[in-house]
């Protein structure tokens, strides 16, 4: 299962991506989650670490 942050879902605006996401959510292949401040901070830390490793 793929967990999709709500912020990412808000960026998806056009078919066929919207249709694919809707079908995946309905089929139980994707789930939404709301990012907490802790999750957002960890994501920023991971992205920064990735940039530093280039």
């Amino acid at each position: 299962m793929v967990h999709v942050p709500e912020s990412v879902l808000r960026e998806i605006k056009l078919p066929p991506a919207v249709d694919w996401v809707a079908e995946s959510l309905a089929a139980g292949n994707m789930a939404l989650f709301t990012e907490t401040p802790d999750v957002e901070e960890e994501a920023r830390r991971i992205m920064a670490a990735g940039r530093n490793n280039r």
Side-chain angles (χ1 to χ4, degrees), residues 1-5 24-25 28-33:
M1 175 173 299
V2 176
H3 290 83
V4 180
S24 296
L25 287 167
N29 298 324
M30 284 187 184
L32 294 178
F33 77 91

Side-chain angles (χ1 to χ4, degrees), residues 2-45:
V2 176
H3 290 83
V4 180
E6 289 180 4
S7 62
V8 171
L9 185 64
R10 283 192 296 271
E11 294 177 14
I12 301 171
K13 306 231 186 269
L14 301 172
V18 172
D19 299 331
W20 178 73
V21 169
E23 291 168 5
S24 296
L25 287 167
N29 298 324
M30 284 187 184
L32 294 178
F33 77 91
T34 302
E35 305 97 325
T36 62
D38 291 344
V39 169
E40 290 176 354
E41 181 59 33
E42 180 68 3
R44 286 187 192 95
R45 187 192 66 73

